[in-house]
């Protein structure tokens, strides 16, 4: 990883912590897959865009309905638990 990429990731992580009021270090709890049968959705506000079959890193199980996740483009957001499958 180049220095430029490393700084970009650090900036992305700082923005995430500010936007979601997340304190502490970002740790990946597990990985889950978006249900391949779900319709794809654009992300709005704090929600993450959904793509069928995409593997997401789970950052936090926030409540019974949502999970805080990160996608492969290092974008963060909430995803409904109903559309997530365990790997």
């Amino acid at each position: 990883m180049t220095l430029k990429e490393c700084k970009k990731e650090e900036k992305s992580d700082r923005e995430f912590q500010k936007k979601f009021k997340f304190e502490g270090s970002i740790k990946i709890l597990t990985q889950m897959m978006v249900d391949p049968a779900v319709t794809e959705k654009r992300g709005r506000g704090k929600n993450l865009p959904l793509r069928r079959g995409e593997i997401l890193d789970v950052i936090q199980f926030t409540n019974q309905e949502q999970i805080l996740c990160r996608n492969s483009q290092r974008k963060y957001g909430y995803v409904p638990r109903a559309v997530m499958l365990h790997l």
Side-chain angles (χ1 to χ4, degrees), residues 26-71:
I26 299 169
K27 295 181 182 170
I28 306 304
L29 302 177
T30 187
Q31 288 187 323
M32 297 178 84
M33 181 174 74
V34 177
D35 188 350
V38 75
T39 56
E40 296 188 4
K41 297 180 183 178
R42 289 182 150 198
R44 292 189 337 238
K46 292 185 177 181
N47 294 330
L48 197 62
L50 297 179
R51 292 194 331 235
R52 295 179 180 146
E54 182 177 28
I55 306 295
L56 301 175
D57 296 329
V58 175
I59 306 297
Q60 184 179 37
F61 293 97
T62 54
N63 59 36
Q64 294 293 347
E65 293 143 15
Q66 293 183 329
I67 303 172
L68 185 56
C69 296
R70 176 176 72 188
N71 65 14

Side-chain angles (χ1 to χ4, degrees), residues 6-7 10-12 19 25 32 41 43 46 51 56-57 60 66 69 76-77 84 86:
C6 188
K7 288 189 181 236
E10 287 176 7
K11 181 180 178 187
S12 166
K19 182 176 182 179
S25 62
M32 297 178 84
K41 297 180 183 178
K46 292 185 177 181
R51 292 194 331 235
L56 301 175
D57 296 329
Q60 184 179 37
Q66 293 183 329
C69 296
Y76 295 89
M84 299 298 288
H86 290 280

Side-chain angles (χ1 to χ4, degrees), residues 5-16:
E5 290 171 339
C6 188
K7 288 189 181 236
K8 186 176 180 180
E9 284 184 11
E10 287 176 7
K11 181 180 178 187
S12 166
D13 290 349
R14 282 193 307 273
E15 288 174 358
F16 155 74

